[in-house]
Amino acid sequence: MKFEKQPEGKRAEPSKVESKEPKVEEEAEVEEEDEDDSEGLIEFFGSYQELFQFFCNNTTIHGAIRLVCSKRNKMKTAFWSVLFFLTFGLMYWQFGIIYADYFSFPVNLNLNLNSDRLTFPAVTLCTLNPYRYSALQHDLEDLDRITHRTLMDMYKYNMPLRQKKRMSQTHRKRRSRSLYYHIQRHPLRRQKRDAQGSMEDNNPEVGMNDWKIGFILWNENKTDYFHQMYSSGVDAVREWYSFHYINILARIPASKDLDESNFESFIYACRFNDASCSEANYTHFHHPIYGNCYTFNDNNSTLWMSSLPGINNGLSLVVRTEQNDFIPLLSTVTGARVMVHGQNEPAFMDEGGFNVRPGMETSISMRKETTNRLGGSYSDCTENGSDVPVKNLYPSHYTEQVCIRSCFQNIMVERCGCGHYFYPLPPGAVYCDYTKHPGWGYCYYKLQAEFKAGFLGCFSKCRKPCKMTEYKLSAGYSRWPSTVSEAWVFHMLSRQNKYNITSKRNGIAKVNIFFQEWNYKSNGESPAFTVVTLLSQLGSQWSLWFGSSVLSVVEMAELLFDFLAVTCILAFQWAYLHRSSDHPASGGHDNSAFCSAPSMPGAPPHLPVASRVATLPSYNSLESLAVQSFPCRGGE
């Protein structure tokens, strides 16, 4: 066959047309690359589906990808969806339990056993003898005489009366009438017990079984009264006598000289670590019930240090326990009263002390124990009492008992107009005396009932101190002096201390106070749930349920942020399109005719470019949110 040889130019035309198609494709790829290069700085997803699909495909949380890869199997998709969200809920339930434990601020108790030289505590010893008759005989004569008459009428008891000093009959009658008037306002009486009533008292009943003993306290205007009743006649007589005795004390100057203010008249011998005591080692104060008290090793002297335990390395005292001039209706026990406490704490003898038996050697061994509480959110304790809403009336450091007593005294001064003689006074206040405050007894006993019932709020206001030092005591007793040694011991005491040898064993006692062991126990608190423990448990729960790490938590935060961003974007688009459909543009040009116009003759044919129609990318930039109009390219 023959082939005609065509012109060279004509043969090149078809190849020229064919070469245009790859060129157009290359231009489309270049344009796509330009579009990719022109993406915005911040990209967001165009729909929730894209957001969720991207998260499941790229997250490090285990199990999330199963929600996407099994989308063709609806059963598996539903199963993994339920399992994923159930696991998610269980994990956050565990998180709630962990956070509840953390914010409950639990503590660990740490017990330590320390060995060191120990500071010897303060020791207070009282005579158990209130003001002697020699100091208050004239003030107590009338009270004793009326009490004698009352006991004779009620119990047929003839109480012996003592009178050491005589006074004029006129002065005695005037004092008797004054005291008798006030006693008539508060008479001691007995009344028949109500058959259906009950006495809330631990003391056994004395006398007739259908009696109850007490006295009535009227208010200042005699419009109301308060029954202070007892099932024991001994307690009733003692409390009634003490009430009138306190009124007498309130009228006596605090600086009145006492017979037993001399140290040697009560303490016959004092020794610490084989060294004798001196006046610099003790201070003196008077207690209205327990008499003259002496505090050894307080802050006013050089503190004693104990290097070794044992009875020979402590405080040893020989004290007098005579009862010749005791007030019988106040001093119903004999001996002495001793209390061990810290140097910065007052001696509350009615709470922490115990009695020393006469004619006995009392050996008291001590064990020191300290407690340190965390405070703050971990416990309701106070460092120094400055954050407690109670004014401290004692010249000492803060303790719970100091706060409670100060709270009661402050409230009593506020309500009754005077303070009780047993407690210190606030500035500007005076002690209660029924010659000046006729109704203070009614106010006091009623206030005391409210205090014991917890209505005053003192127990809730006063908190425990964060640092405490306690001394655990144990006592042993033995006869002292022994039968074979009592002769020379009494003889030596009579020569040196003018001890009355006729009183024999009931007039003296010996007290030994020492550390039982060199070690002392310290109790401390430490946080049981710290921030490190919290993060560790949260991480353990997260790894248990999802097998992920801290970066997975960041991914969850990013998912939440993207979800909120997509929601805002879609809401903005909806609002914009809704406003555009309600208000169409009036001056717009219709480009359809222009786009469909035939091309000019001689112009190159306009080839459709299929590559310009592409699918939506996985991200939409902020610039693509605007509605753009692209001109047709038919006029090229």
Side-chain angles (χ1 to χ4, degrees), residues 604-624:
H606 179 73
L607 299 177
V609 182
S611 61
R612 292 187 60 87
V613 181
T615 58
L616 291 174
S618 60
Y619 290 94
N620 289 333
S621 62
L622 292 177
E623 291 85 350
S624 64

Side-chain angles (χ1 to χ4, degrees), residues 30 54 69 105 183 186 291 331 375 441 479 525 558 615:
V30 171
F54 176 81
C69 67
F105 300 104
I183 290 180
H186 316 91
S331 303
R479 182 173 178 175
E525 291 181 348
E558 183 186 21
T615 58

